[in-house]
Short mmCIF file of all heavy atoms in Angstrom, two decimals:
data_model
loop_
_atom_site.label_atom_id
_atom_site.label_comp_id
_atom_site.label_asym_id
_atom_site.label_seq_id
_atom_site.Cartn_x
_atom_site.Cartn_y
_atom_site.Cartn_z
N TYR M 6 82.65 135.00 161.37
CA TYR M 6 83.07 136.37 161.10
C TYR M 6 83.26 136.53 159.60
O TYR M 6 83.92 135.71 158.95
CB TYR M 6 84.38 136.68 161.82
CG TYR M 6 84.83 138.11 161.63
CD1 TYR M 6 84.28 139.12 162.40
CD2 TYR M 6 85.79 138.44 160.68
CE1 TYR M 6 84.68 140.45 162.23
CE2 TYR M 6 86.19 139.75 160.50
CZ TYR M 6 85.63 140.75 161.28
OH TYR M 6 86.03 142.05 161.09
N THR M 7 82.69 137.60 159.04
CA THR M 7 82.81 137.88 157.62
C THR M 7 83.75 139.07 157.41
O THR M 7 83.53 140.15 157.94
CB THR M 7 81.43 138.20 156.99
OG1 THR M 7 80.54 137.12 157.24
CG2 THR M 7 81.56 138.42 155.49
N PHE M 8 84.80 138.85 156.64
CA PHE M 8 85.76 139.91 156.33
C PHE M 8 85.22 140.80 155.21
O PHE M 8 84.24 140.47 154.55
CB PHE M 8 87.10 139.30 155.92
CG PHE M 8 87.80 138.57 157.04
CD1 PHE M 8 87.58 137.22 157.23
CD2 PHE M 8 88.65 139.24 157.90
CE1 PHE M 8 88.22 136.53 158.25
CE2 PHE M 8 89.30 138.58 158.93
CZ PHE M 8 89.08 137.22 159.11
N LYS M 9 85.89 141.92 154.98
CA LYS M 9 85.44 142.88 153.97
C LYS M 9 85.47 142.29 152.57
O LYS M 9 84.74 142.75 151.69
CB LYS M 9 86.30 144.15 154.02
CG LYS M 9 86.11 144.96 155.30
CD LYS M 9 86.94 146.23 155.27
CE LYS M 9 86.72 147.06 156.53
NZ LYS M 9 87.53 148.29 156.53
N ASN M 10 86.34 141.29 152.34
CA ASN M 10 86.42 140.65 151.02
C ASN M 10 85.45 139.48 150.89
O ASN M 10 85.55 138.68 149.96
CB ASN M 10 87.83 140.19 150.73
CG ASN M 10 88.35 139.19 151.76
OD1 ASN M 10 87.64 138.84 152.71
ND2 ASN M 10 89.58 138.74 151.59
N ASP M 11 84.48 139.36 151.86
CA ASP M 11 83.43 138.34 151.86
C ASP M 11 83.94 136.93 152.18
O ASP M 11 83.22 135.96 151.98
CB ASP M 11 82.67 138.31 150.53
CG ASP M 11 81.83 139.57 150.34
OD1 ASP M 11 81.32 140.09 151.34
OD2 ASP M 11 81.71 140.03 149.18
N VAL M 12 85.16 136.82 152.68
CA VAL M 12 85.64 135.54 153.20
C VAL M 12 85.05 135.34 154.60
O VAL M 12 85.06 136.25 155.42
CB VAL M 12 87.18 135.49 153.25
CG1 VAL M 12 87.65 134.23 153.99
CG2 VAL M 12 87.74 135.52 151.84
N VAL M 13 84.52 134.15 154.85
CA VAL M 13 83.86 133.85 156.12
C VAL M 13 84.65 132.76 156.86
O VAL M 13 84.96 131.71 156.29
CB VAL M 13 82.41 133.37 155.91
CG1 VAL M 13 81.73 133.09 157.24
CG2 VAL M 13 81.63 134.40 155.10
N VAL M 14 84.95 133.02 158.14
CA VAL M 14 85.55 132.01 159.01
C VAL M 14 84.51 131.63 160.04
O VAL M 14 83.87 132.49 160.65
CB VAL M 14 86.82 132.55 159.70
CG1 VAL M 14 87.39 131.50 160.65
CG2 VAL M 14 87.86 132.94 158.66
N GLU M 15 84.32 130.31 160.23
CA GLU M 15 83.24 129.84 161.10
C GLU M 15 83.70 128.71 162.00
O GLU M 15 84.47 127.84 161.59
CB GLU M 15 82.04 129.39 160.25
CG GLU M 15 80.84 128.91 161.06
CD GLU M 15 79.63 128.69 160.19
OE1 GLU M 15 79.04 129.69 159.72
OE2 GLU M 15 79.29 127.51 159.93
N ALA M 16 83.21 128.71 163.24
CA ALA M 16 83.44 127.61 164.18
C ALA M 16 82.10 127.24 164.80
O ALA M 16 81.16 128.04 164.82
CB ALA M 16 84.43 128.03 165.27
N GLY M 17 82.01 126.03 165.30
CA GLY M 17 80.77 125.58 165.91
C GLY M 17 81.01 124.50 166.93
O GLY M 17 82.11 123.95 167.05
N ILE M 18 79.97 124.18 167.67
CA ILE M 18 79.99 123.07 168.60
C ILE M 18 78.58 122.51 168.68
O ILE M 18 77.60 123.26 168.74
CB ILE M 18 80.53 123.50 169.98
CG1 ILE M 18 80.71 122.28 170.89
CG2 ILE M 18 79.63 124.54 170.63
CD1 ILE M 18 81.50 122.59 172.15
N ALA M 19 78.45 121.18 168.63
CA ALA M 19 77.11 120.57 168.58
C ALA M 19 77.14 119.18 169.19
O ALA M 19 78.18 118.50 169.20
CB ALA M 19 76.60 120.49 167.14
N PHE M 20 75.99 118.76 169.69
CA PHE M 20 75.77 117.38 170.08
C PHE M 20 75.28 116.65 168.84
O PHE M 20 74.27 117.05 168.23
CB PHE M 20 74.73 117.29 171.20
CG PHE M 20 74.42 115.88 171.62
CD1 PHE M 20 75.28 115.20 172.47
CD2 PHE M 20 73.28 115.24 171.17
CE1 PHE M 20 75.01 113.89 172.86
CE2 PHE M 20 72.99 113.94 171.56
CZ PHE M 20 73.87 113.27 172.40
N ASP M 21 75.97 115.59 168.44
CA ASP M 21 75.77 114.98 167.13
C ASP M 21 75.66 113.46 167.30
O ASP M 21 76.52 112.83 167.90
CB ASP M 21 76.98 115.34 166.26
CG ASP M 21 76.79 114.99 164.80
OD1 ASP M 21 76.02 114.06 164.50
OD2 ASP M 21 77.43 115.63 163.96
N THR M 22 74.57 112.86 166.79
CA THR M 22 74.44 111.40 166.82
C THR M 22 74.71 110.84 165.44
O THR M 22 74.23 111.37 164.43
CB THR M 22 73.04 110.97 167.28
OG1 THR M 22 72.06 111.40 166.33
CG2 THR M 22 72.71 111.55 168.64
N ARG M 23 75.51 109.79 165.39
CA ARG M 23 75.89 109.15 164.13
C ARG M 23 75.67 107.66 164.27
O ARG M 23 76.41 106.96 164.94
CB ARG M 23 77.35 109.46 163.81
CG ARG M 23 77.59 110.96 163.79
CD ARG M 23 78.87 111.34 163.15
NE ARG M 23 78.93 112.80 163.05
CZ ARG M 23 79.74 113.45 162.24
NH1 ARG M 23 80.56 112.79 161.46
NH2 ARG M 23 79.73 114.76 162.19
N ASN M 24 74.62 107.19 163.62
CA ASN M 24 74.22 105.79 163.77
C ASN M 24 74.57 105.01 162.52
O ASN M 24 74.58 105.54 161.41
CB ASN M 24 72.72 105.71 164.02
CG ASN M 24 72.29 106.58 165.19
OD1 ASN M 24 73.03 106.72 166.16
ND2 ASN M 24 71.11 107.17 165.11
N GLY M 25 74.85 103.73 162.69
CA GLY M 25 75.14 102.88 161.54
C GLY M 25 74.92 101.43 161.86
O GLY M 25 74.93 101.02 163.02
N THR M 26 74.74 100.60 160.83
CA THR M 26 74.53 99.17 161.00
C THR M 26 75.63 98.40 160.30
O THR M 26 75.95 98.66 159.14
CB THR M 26 73.16 98.76 160.42
OG1 THR M 26 72.13 99.44 161.13
CG2 THR M 26 72.94 97.26 160.56
N LEU M 27 76.19 97.43 161.00
CA LEU M 27 77.18 96.53 160.44
C LEU M 27 76.60 95.13 160.41
O LEU M 27 76.06 94.65 161.40
CB LEU M 27 78.46 96.54 161.29
CG LEU M 27 79.19 97.88 161.40
CD1 LEU M 27 80.34 97.75 162.38
CD2 LEU M 27 79.70 98.31 160.04
N ASP M 28 76.73 94.46 159.28
CA ASP M 28 76.19 93.11 159.11
C ASP M 28 77.35 92.17 158.81
O ASP M 28 78.16 92.45 157.92
CB ASP M 28 75.19 93.10 157.95
CG ASP M 28 74.33 91.84 157.95
OD1 ASP M 28 74.78 90.85 158.55
OD2 ASP M 28 73.25 91.86 157.35
N LYS M 29 77.45 91.07 159.55
CA LYS M 29 78.58 90.17 159.37
C LYS M 29 78.41 89.33 158.12
O LYS M 29 78.28 88.11 158.16
CB LYS M 29 78.77 89.29 160.59
CG LYS M 29 80.23 89.01 160.91
CD LYS M 29 80.40 88.47 162.31
CE LYS M 29 81.87 88.44 162.69
NZ LYS M 29 82.07 87.95 164.06
N LYS M 30 78.34 90.02 156.98
CA LYS M 30 78.28 89.37 155.68
C LYS M 30 79.28 90.05 154.76
O LYS M 30 79.60 91.22 154.94
CB LYS M 30 76.88 89.50 155.06
CG LYS M 30 75.78 88.77 155.82
CD LYS M 30 74.46 88.96 155.10
CE LYS M 30 73.33 88.25 155.82
NZ LYS M 30 72.03 88.47 155.15
N SER M 31 79.77 89.34 153.80
CA SER M 31 80.61 89.98 152.81
C SER M 31 79.73 90.77 151.86
O SER M 31 78.51 90.63 151.85
CB SER M 31 81.40 88.92 152.03
OG SER M 31 80.52 88.09 151.31
N ARG M 32 80.33 91.60 151.02
CA ARG M 32 79.54 92.48 150.16
C ARG M 32 78.77 91.72 149.09
O ARG M 32 77.81 92.24 148.54
CB ARG M 32 80.46 93.51 149.52
CG ARG M 32 81.01 94.49 150.54
CD ARG M 32 81.69 95.66 149.88
NE ARG M 32 82.14 96.61 150.88
CZ ARG M 32 82.68 97.79 150.60
NH1 ARG M 32 82.83 98.14 149.35
NH2 ARG M 32 83.06 98.59 151.55
N ASP M 33 79.19 90.48 148.79
CA ASP M 33 78.42 89.72 147.80
C ASP M 33 77.26 88.97 148.44
O ASP M 33 76.57 88.20 147.78
CB ASP M 33 79.33 88.73 147.04
CG ASP M 33 80.02 87.75 147.99
OD1 ASP M 33 79.68 87.74 149.19
OD2 ASP M 33 80.89 87.01 147.52
N GLY M 34 77.03 89.19 149.75
CA GLY M 34 75.87 88.61 150.42
C GLY M 34 76.12 87.26 151.04
O GLY M 34 75.23 86.68 151.67
N ILE M 35 77.34 86.72 150.92
CA ILE M 35 77.64 85.41 151.50
C ILE M 35 77.94 85.59 152.99
O ILE M 35 78.78 86.38 153.38
CB ILE M 35 78.85 84.77 150.80
CG1 ILE M 35 78.54 84.58 149.31
CG2 ILE M 35 79.21 83.44 151.46
CD1 ILE M 35 79.72 84.05 148.52
#
C-alpha cells in the first residue's frame, strides 16, 4: 500500500530455498 506521502508498506509470502555447504575444515584450510 502506498500512502499519499509516497511511503510504502509491503508484506509477502513465498516458498524459498536456501542452500549452503559446510566443510569440516578450519578457515586456514587445516
Side-chain angles (χ1 to χ4, degrees):
Y6 183 81
T7 304
F8 293 91
K9 293 182 179 180
N10 59 0
D11 291 326
V12 172
V13 181
V14 177
E15 182 171 288
I18 187 168
F20 178 79
D21 191 333
T22 64
R23 305 195 173 198
N24 306 325
T26 298
L27 298 174
D28 194 339
K29 216 164 190 179
K30 295 181 180 178
S31 63
R32 292 191 177 186
D33 58 8
I35 300 176

